[in-house]
Amino acid sequence: MTKQGLGSNSVDQHVVLRVLRFLLKSAALPETSTDQQRWLLVSEQGGTIACDKLVLEALKCSAFIKMQSGKVVLSVVGREFLQELKRAANSVYKDVAVNSAGIAVNHAESPLALLYRKNKQTGQRFLSDEEFQAGERLRADFTRGNMLPRITANWEAGVTKRSRGEQGAQAELSDHALDCRDRVEKALKAVGPELSGVLLDICCFLKGLELVERERSWPARSAKMMLKTGLSILHRHYTAGRKTDKSEAPVYHWGTPDFRPSL
């Protein structure tokens, strides 16, 4: 079995990785078990695991493991293979982070995050911190509000029976999701119809700038400026919602004109 042969049907890939990672800790002594088709690998550091003879034979033929002083040892080829898997996993998840709203965001696929990164030539950012966070907040509310279109068939809708007059999917949404939808609606209304579509396409649907320009028949590099303008207005909308001066709020009370005691 070679590195390319790990996905073969004869040997389970997950079992292979389990054995390799077990041997990565230390060498293991093979012992027979009650099952003639299985071996026990006994390690001083990792404990004991059961393994099919077929898996061990395949690993040995592919030079992932070898016998040394009566013990099963992970070979150099096996160690390099595990390191290769680790590097591949890191390359997939290195751009995944949790934003300030608690939503996992893959910055490798986010056009907004690409614009937010510093320009290597000038060392400056096209988007400010406030504009980037405003776009992330809109995306978080959009995601939590379950506003992304369904891309798979909804089999439940065909078999679920509802009585006449019963509400549909809107009733199934949680209060939190409804609040998120309400915030998205207010934010887009504050931005206006001229720029709200650009924010939805780039921040929420993750469309690239060039794609937005082609769909809207805009000139090259115009979506970039429209996005920045929309994010600036969106940031002012979110900031205005937080600035509530309680000292200017009117004070209401109940009582007759002579309710205060006289001194």
Side-chain angles (χ1 to χ4, degrees):
M1 183 180 65
T2 61
K3 294 181 183 180
Q4 290 79 10
L6 279 179
S8 115
N9 294 330
S10 59
V11 179
D12 191 346
Q13 181 178 0
H14 297 287
V15 176
V16 169
L17 294 178
R18 175 171 171 262
V19 174
L20 293 179
R21 287 165 179 162
F22 177 79
L23 295 175
L24 183 61
K25 301 177 182 178
S26 65
L29 182 67
E31 296 183 357
T32 58
S33 65
T34 55
D35 188 351
Q36 296 182 355
Q37 301 299 324
R38 298 170 70 86
W39 283 86
L40 295 178
L41 296 180
V42 183
S43 171
E44 295 180 356
Q45 297 183 9
T48 304
I49 64 170
C51 180
D52 293 340
K53 289 184 178 181
L54 178 63
V55 174
L56 290 179
E57 292 175 358
L59 289 174
K60 186 177 180 181
C61 293
S62 61
F64 280 82
I65 62 174
K66 62 181 181 179
M67 295 299 297
Q68 183 176 336
S69 302
K71 292 185 177 181
V72 182
V73 180
L74 185 65
S75 66
V76 177
V77 178
R79 292 180 182 273
E80 291 178 350
F81 176 70
L82 290 178
Q83 291 177 358
E84 182 179 336
L85 288 180
K86 185 177 181 180
R87 287 193 297 268
N90 290 337
S91 64
V92 172
Y93 294 105
K94 66 180 180 180
D95 291 316
V96 177
V98 178
N99 60 17
S100 58
I103 296 294
V105 179
N106 188 348
H107 288 167
E109 67 177 11
S110 172
L112 191 65
L114 294 176
L115 281 176
Y116 178 65
R117 294 174 180 173
K118 289 183 179 180
N119 190 310
K120 294 182 179 179
Q121 297 179 352
T122 62
Q124 298 178 349
R125 300 184 189 273
F126 177 73
L127 298 177
S128 64
D129 295 342
E130 293 78 10
E131 292 167 348
F132 175 70
Q133 293 299 333
E136 288 290 277
R137 179 174 176 179
L138 178 66
R139 180 183 180 183
D141 285 338
F142 191 86
T143 303
R144 288 174 169 171
N146 297 325
M147 301 179 72
L148 286 170
R150 184 184 295 272
I151 59 177
T152 58
N154 184 10
W155 300 105
E156 182 182 358
V159 297
T160 303
K161 296 182 179 179
R162 288 195 180 98
S163 60
R164 182 170 297 179
E166 184 179 359
Q167 296 183 4
Q170 189 76 6
E172 299 175 359
L173 289 173
S174 64
D175 292 339
H176 178 67
L178 292 176
D179 290 340
C180 291
R181 290 191 173 195
D182 183 60
R183 288 195 295 268
V184 171
E185 183 179 354
K186 291 180 179 178
L188 297 179
K189 184 177 180 181
V191 172
E194 296 83 4
L195 299 174
S196 59
V198 182
L199 294 182
L200 283 175
D201 283 343
I202 298 177
C203 298
C204 302
F205 293 107
L206 305 180
K207 292 183 179 181
L209 297 175
E210 296 181 356
L211 176 60
V212 172
E213 291 168 355
R214 288 198 304 268
E215 291 180 347
R216 298 174 180 269
S217 299
W218 286 353
R221 291 180 291 277
S222 60
K224 197 174 179 181
M225 299 306 302
M226 298 290 283
L227 173 65
K228 184 175 178 65
T229 304
L231 290 174
S232 178
I233 300 175
L234 183 64
H235 167 64
R236 288 202 302 268
H237 164 70
Y238 287 141
T239 304
R242 292 194 301 264
K243 291 182 179 179
T244 303
D245 191 354
K246 296 182 180 181
S247 62
E248 297 180 358
V251 178
Y252 298 96
H253 60 80
W254 295 95
T256 58
D258 58 347
F259 79 99
R260 295 183 181 274
S262 58
L263 298 178

